[in-house]
Amino acid sequence: MSIAYTIAGFAVGAIVGLTGVGGGSLMTPLLVLLFGINPSVAVGTDLLYAAITKAGGTLAHGLKGTVDWTITRRLATGSIPGAVVTLVLVANFAPGGIGGAAALIKTALGVALLLTAVAIVFRKQIQAYALKHSGGQENPRRTAWLTILTGVVLGVLVSISSVGAGALGVSALFFLYPRLPTLRIVGSDIAHAVPLTLVAGIGHWFLGNIDWALLGSLLIGSLPGIWLGSHVSTRVPDRVLRPILATMLVLVGSKLIAA
């Protein structure tokens, strides 16, 4: 079975390298629906998986100067406390602890996947709307607080579903910072995902929701997958990739909600 996990890691890694999104959106439902992994273990393991794989992306963007560390810090100011508080509340108040929160995690994951699909399809429209309505009257203080609030929402969502740090985070930043170059928005979002998924993953570790053998098998496949996907991405039109990914997320998300 470890070989199957490695193949799954390679496939998801290639898609992440190809599209820039889809790590938590694809890996967690794949582990739950295809391999029958307990949802809480799937989420916890995927969070550490994401932290390790996206650390390499952060290093690359950091060296290129495409990370806005102010934005990353604002997001983390909201997301990290949001993730910690959410995990504490679920562990202490959900029936049976976090292990008994399978239904909650499945539903949250399904909703997050549907929102991610919408964000992928309408990313350009979101950016255009924000540019149209900003009218040069940007309020730096309001933008800063909205960024922190966005971080809180992402922290809650990511901690219980492992989804949201990618496409949803990028779409929110497009709306809040419509004049920022796309590459800096993507780089800042990837950089923010590392501490968020690491903190949430460590929280799940303390709660006993990490399968270390599974994590190792996924990483063995995903690291070369990300490398390959990143190189192929320059040859595949974005207009072809994103609708396919969005359709896949809608199907998986709907199945999880209906389960």
Side-chain angles (χ1 to χ4, degrees), residues 43 86-87 90 104-105 108-109 155-162 204:
V43 169
T86 300
L87 287 172
V90 172
L104 171 63
I105 294 175
L109 178 57
V156 173
L157 197 58
V158 168
S159 63
I160 60 175
S161 73
S162 81
H204 277 270

Side-chain angles (χ1 to χ4, degrees), residues 70-84:
T70 298
I71 292 177
T72 299
R73 184 171 60 250
R74 289 172 179 172
L75 287 171
T77 298
S79 67
I80 292 177
V84 172

Side-chain angles (χ1 to χ4, degrees), residues 132-233:
K132 179 180 178 180
H133 291 273
S134 62
Q137 303 297 320
E138 297 178 5
N139 186 325
R141 183 182 294 273
R142 183 183 64 181
T143 299
W145 280 108
L146 286 175
T147 304
I148 294 173
L149 180 60
T150 298
V152 173
V153 174
L154 291 176
V156 173
L157 197 58
V158 168
S159 63
I160 60 175
S161 73
S162 81
V163 177
L168 290 178
V170 167
S171 296
L173 292 181
F174 271 130
F175 187 83
L176 293 171
Y177 302 91
R179 289 176 171 77
L180 199 66
T182 299
L183 193 57
R184 287 183 67 82
I185 286 180
V186 172
S188 304
D189 182 70
I190 290 176
H192 162 249
V194 174
L196 170 56
T197 54
L198 180 61
V199 169
I202 290 174
H204 277 270
W205 178 18
F206 280 109
L207 295 172
N209 295 326
I210 304 296
D211 186 325
W212 295 103
L214 171 61
L215 176 61
S217 297
L218 293 175
L219 289 174
I220 290 173
S222 67
L223 295 177
I226 289 175
W227 181 87
L228 178 63
S230 298
H231 283 74
V232 174
S233 62

